[in-house]
Amino acid sequence: MAKKPQIVILGAGYGGMIAATKLQKKLGSGEAHVTLVSKHKYHYQTTWLHEPAAGTMHHDDARIEIDKVLNSNRANFVQDTVISINKDEKKVILKEGGELAYDYLIIGVGATAETFGVEGVFEHAYHKWTIDGVRELKDHIEFQFSKYRNETVHKDEDLTFVVAGAGFTGIEFIGELSERVPKLCEHYDVPREKVKMYVIEAAPSALPGFDPELVEYAMNLLEHRGVEFKINTPIAEVKENLVVLKEGEEIPASTIIWATGVRGNKLIEESGFEAMRGRVKVDADLRAPGEEDVFIIGDCALIINEETERPFPPTAQIAMQQGAVAAENVMALIRGGTTSNLKPEILGTLASLGGKEAMGTVNVSFLKGRKLYGRSAYFMKHMSDNRYLMKLGGPLLVLSKGRNPF
């Protein structure tokens, strides 16, 4: 009897979870053995983390237990940390559980913060966009407000919040924080004028890639809530309770949030893959160059948009599409077929702005190419979130974890 092929998936992010669920549904009984490896026992919604970070959502609402989605009769789950990948011996080395041999490997191990060479980020800024990271940030924010009334001497930085980066993550976080600040001030008896919020962006515009009208809408809304933008303003250094700008200005702040973008997991380069900022320029079928049995997806995969000649951003929707294609291609190879190429499809780009405000574009059905603002954008963003949950776990998962779009 032939040995069943071993399929190993590293990482339980959007791409890894879609790949695992697709394989467990479509592989025949006994056709292959699937193993998903993750250091957490849960999958978390990265695109929701700005809400628990600001305290407008409980962090448990942003995570999904893997055993609620993975069928243990069709796929195996291993909770462990990947130390290295030995491509020559086709083995994955784990921190606690020894080794895992594979015939086919799907790598989706996520990303880390990109500092762009700025010193002090890891030491003095909140940069971990994970469940634990945002929980720590939320507790810190509330602590800054709670201690205000207990101190006789107040410093300017006590209630100053600086967000480095005016991209998706930075804007969505400051949107939630600016919406919550009045409630925190009321709860802790803090004068509203004592709170300062800054967003600092090195690029010439906030929200690079968005339509200028949408950017203007977002900035006007956030400025109305008290957010001050410093655009085209690089950061030189982050110190304890201090942000130093390249032009020389210094902003004292007790809370510094780093949201300037990400780079692929260092595991990629350490395992011998040729990469740029931790991202591998994969083949059209998502295989690592020169590798017949290794697929790379999500934040660690670099795919060029032929229309713009720029990389596709490492978004959740692209990662989901990559996970599905990687799973299909592994099944094709097992069955003696040929692989298919990924054809990325951008279904829309929607950014939440706190409360029931959002903005963006939608490229589906009669809304194709339509700009959306306010409640309509908020509705479509939540419907998009629910669509992912439906793909991942069906109606029961939507009922238990779905967003109310109204």
Side-chain angles (χ1 to χ4, degrees), residues 323-336:
V325 170
E328 291 283 0
N329 284 341
V330 167
M331 288 188 289
L333 292 175
I334 288 173
R335 295 165 181 170

Side-chain angles (χ1 to χ4, degrees), residues 168 172 210 214 317 347-352 358-362 370-373 376-384:
F168 229 93
E172 290 200 314
F210 272 80
L214 295 171
Q317 62 176 309
L347 302 177
T349 307
L350 296 161
S352 66
M359 63 81 193
T361 56
V362 177
R370 180 80 62 86
K371 300 176 191 176
L372 298 179
Y373 305 84
S376 58
Y378 173 86
F379 175 86
M380 290 303 298
K381 181 169 177 59
H382 280 41
M383 290 300 291
S384 174

Side-chain angles (χ1 to χ4, degrees), residues 49-57 125-129 132-149 157-163 170 172-185 187-188 190 194-197 253-258:
L49 289 182
H50 57 282
E51 296 181 52
T56 55
M57 171 195 282
Y126 290 89
H127 61 275
K128 295 180 180 179
W129 292 97
D132 292 336
V134 299
R135 180 165 48 191
E136 181 184 4
L137 174 55
K138 175 253 186 187
D139 289 345
H140 169 79
I141 291 170
E142 292 184 353
F143 174 73
Q144 291 303 116
F145 278 88
S146 67
K147 77 173 186 177
Y148 183 88
R149 304 303 301 184
E157 65 259 31
D158 289 347
L159 292 174
T160 297
F161 302 89
V162 172
V163 176
E172 290 200 314
F173 170 76
I174 202 66
E176 291 298 320
L177 181 63
S178 64
E179 179 73 8
R180 193 177 182 223
V181 158
K183 299 172 185 176
L184 287 169
C185 288
H187 183 74
Y188 291 105
V190 172
K194 298 296 182 182
V195 180
K196 297 178 182 178
M197 294 176 285
S254 65
T255 311
I256 304 165
I257 301 99
W258 198 260

Side-chain angles (χ1 to χ4, degrees), residues 280-291:
V280 176
K281 188 176 181 181
V282 294
D283 295 337
D285 63 359
L286 301 178
R287 279 187 278 199
E291 304 293 334

Side-chain angles (χ1 to χ4, degrees), residues 18 25 103 140 164 178 236 241 260-261 309:
I18 289 294
K25 289 176 184 176
D103 294 295
H140 169 79
S178 64
N241 297 331
T260 64
E309 297 184 350

